[in-house]
Amino acid sequence: MTEDGVMPPDPGGRRRSGPGLSLQDARARLLAHLTPITMVERVGLREALGRVLGEDIVAQTNVPAHTNSAMDGYAVRGTDLPAADEVALRVVGEAFAGHPFAGEVGAGESVRIMTGAVMPRGADTVVIQEDVTEHAGEARIGSGHRLGQHVRKAGEDLARGTQVLNAGRRLTAADLGLVASLGVPEVSVYRRLRVAFFSTGDELRSLGEPLGEGDIYDSNRYTLRGMLTRFGADVLDLGVVGDSREALRAAFERAGANADVVMTSGGVSVGAADFVHDILKEAGEIGFWKVNIKPGHPVAFGRLHGGATFFGVPGNPVSTMVTYYQIVQPALDYLAGAEVRQKLSLRARTSEPLRKAPGRCEFQRGCLEQGEDGELVVRAAAPQGSGILRSMSLANCFIVLPEHSGPVAAGEQVSVEPFAGLI
Ligand code: AMP
Ligand code: MG
């Protein structure tokens, strides 16, 4: 792995700021260096929601298995339906879901049929009961019906031999139903990714501890836990690690021995107490250090000697979340054997001016709604400082302003990524 976007040491031992990779290059570099999980496990369908399918699912049967009625009504031969006036068809039996009619529907005959009941032999059309008057054993049917109406064909949902779901699919509720409709009780899924994380910073206190002067509570471990749990990882919370080389070295060792992925927050920038870069150089290889995004300029990717993938995200709470969603999560998808989720990108009109300097791709936090004219309108969720976590909490989308863009005037069109498509 070659290092790029790395800040070279200056004579004072402090690293200078320099250009980083574009977001696209960073994502491409990540995927080129990662190897997805291959180990699978069998799980019952009830436990499979959100898991990543480790096998292709091919339909071994037709769904539905039999041609059946889509409505309550009368099964008839389409050729008996009148072009004008009425016809009276003798009712020769009944068919219920789970209780087929054993006989055959002949010319001039009909069978009373319920939704889901197998179509009787001879019948090819259903006339809904609202359009029929039954009297003295005869069904009276008028004109205006179509041959083949209200019939669900065998295999019209899933035909035998169809590839229903591909390996790499993150199973949704609909997918579970689809697999169940095939009669399949369990599936192979990739084992969960194990992600260890810790926060770095002498000022950080865990919940329950008193705050000394200048201390703050560690919120990043809670956002990270939330995002990683949503993602479907097995999380290993290693707590707060102080700003010392020895403590960091030990934490890296412990995390790397117990996880596929190690994530840290804080300590990745150019301050005198930012040791993550130095320790990572000892403990592994660095893939990149800086990406041209805001927030989140310094964001580290690498591999520890033991094989674990490493991400160091900046400590500012908004930067932590933005770099996780924009850089870490696509990589986790890939590592987990999943299709990398495509982010839904929409165009919206900004209702207010947006501050922006050319140079970095910005992910501002926005509130997206539909304006009175039906057009999508977005505004800033809150002040945009990278320490203002409330902006993430209030927002429902990122406003994505590309590297080259300068300030945006009110009324201009911008790209937005709704969180709903992201998480
Ligand atoms: P750093 O990335 O370590 O330079 O930290 C940048 C800013 O984020 C500082 O103001 C830190 O106090 C703050 N910060 C770092 N880690 C956390 C955390 N885990 N929770 C909340 N704030 C943090
Ligand atoms: Mg720090």
Side-chain angles (χ1 to χ4, degrees):
M1 205 185 275
T2 54
E3 187 173 358
D4 206 345
V6 172
M7 296 166 276
D10 70 17
R14 306 259 308 259
R15 291 179 301 276
R16 285 192 310 268
S17 201
L21 293 173
S22 73
L23 184 58
Q24 281 94 325
D25 288 350
R27 284 184 182 148
R29 181 174 298 216
L30 274 173
L31 300 191
H33 280 104
L34 299 175
T35 312
I37 279 184
T38 53
M39 192 190 291
V40 292
E41 58 194 24
R42 301 284 291 172
V43 295
L45 218 42
R46 286 189 186 91
E47 283 75 52
L49 184 65
R51 299 295 301 270
V52 181
L53 202 52
E55 60 178 345
D56 295 333
I57 303 285
V58 176
Q60 305 297 333
T61 55
N62 279 325
V63 179
H66 304 281
T67 298
N68 66 85
S69 177
M71 301 292 278
D72 295 328
Y74 291 79
V76 302
R77 292 177 172 243
T79 47
D80 279 345
L81 292 170
D85 301 328
E86 270 199 345
V87 70
L89 302 176
R90 199 156 62 81
V91 181
V92 296
E94 288 182 328
F96 286 83
H99 302 280
F101 172 69
E104 185 169 349
V105 176
E109 292 180 345
S110 66
V111 160
R112 173 107 172 88
I113 195 163
M114 311 302 152
T115 305
V118 173
M119 284 295 284
R121 266 178 301 122
D124 53 16
T125 303
V126 171
V127 180
I128 63 172
Q129 65 186 28
E130 291 84 344
D131 291 346
V132 177
T133 25
E134 187 177 336
H135 179 69
E138 284 187 337
R140 305 190 76 82
I141 300 170
S143 62
H145 299 288
R146 181 178 47 80
L147 188 144
Q149 70 185 15
H150 306 312
V151 171
R152 301 193 283 221
K153 289 261 193 294
E156 76 172 22
D157 186 358
L158 304 173
R160 186 199 317 249
T162 309
Q163 175 128 339
V164 178
L165 296 170
N166 300 338
R169 171 91 180 172
R170 212 173 262 285
L171 291 165
T172 64
D175 296 340
L176 299 189
L178 217 50
V179 175
S181 75
L182 290 166
V184 174
E186 52 178 42
V187 288
S188 285
V189 294
Y190 291 116
R191 73 167 173 81
R192 288 184 192 275
L193 267 191
R194 193 158 170 77
V195 182
F197 58 96
F198 54 90
S199 296
T200 71
D202 281 347
E203 76 282 28
L204 301 178
R205 293 288 159 269
S206 294
L207 300 187
E209 291 177 357
L211 289 186
E213 195 183 339
D215 291 349
I216 57 170
Y217 284 117
D218 172 8
S219 58
N220 288 345
R221 272 190 299 136
Y222 288 84
T223 43
L224 281 176
R225 172 183 287 273
M227 295 187 292
L228 290 167
T229 303
R230 262 274 152 91
F231 171 83
D234 264 343
V235 296
L236 180 62
D237 181 345
L238 296 178
V240 173
V241 176
D243 291 317
S244 94
R245 290 172 195 277
E246 296 66 42
L248 278 172
R249 210 173 275 130
F252 267 119
E253 213 159 279
R254 187 163 161 226
N258 289 292
D260 304 299
V261 177
V262 175
M263 277 192 75
T264 63
S265 79
V268 288
S269 63
V270 295
D274 294 329
F275 299 127
V276 171
H277 181 268
D278 296 354
I279 302 301
L280 182 57
K281 263 181 136 168
E282 289 173 28
E285 301 164 76
I286 297 175
F288 60 69
W289 196 261
K290 292 204 300 175
V291 180
N292 279 336
I293 59 172
K294 184 180 175 189
H297 195 207
V299 49
F301 156 64
R303 187 161 42 220
L304 302 183
H305 289 319
T309 300
F310 171 78
F311 291 100
V313 298
N316 270 310
V318 177
S319 311
T320 298
M321 294 196 78
V322 168
T323 48
Y324 172 84
Y325 281 135
Q326 298 302 331
I327 293 175
V328 180
Q329 187 170 281
L332 296 185
D333 267 338
Y334 187 75
L335 280 172
E339 290 160 354
V340 177
R341 280 172 265 212
Q342 291 305 309
K343 295 184 168 77
L344 176 65
S345 178
L346 304 172
R347 299 290 287 171
R349 176 165 53 82
T350 174
S351 62
E352 51 190 29
L354 302 171
R355 291 169 63 171
K356 165 81 169 67
R360 291 199 264 159
C361 175
E362 285 198 22
F363 293 92
Q364 302 195 359
R365 279 71 64 206
C367 290
L368 180 68
E369 54 192 24
Q370 199 155 35
E372 274 165 22
D373 51 3
E375 198 189 2
L376 291 176
V377 179
V378 71
R379 63 185 158 79
Q384 294 288 326
S386 58
I388 300 180
L389 188 53
R390 198 161 52 90
S391 70
M392 273 305 291
S393 175
L394 291 172
N396 63 6
C397 71
F398 286 125
I399 304 170
V400 186
L401 303 177
E403 275 184 27
H404 58 80
S405 144
V408 180
E412 282 187 42
Q413 293 284 319
V414 290
S415 291
V416 296
E417 284 178 4
F419 288 170
L422 204 58
I423 34 185

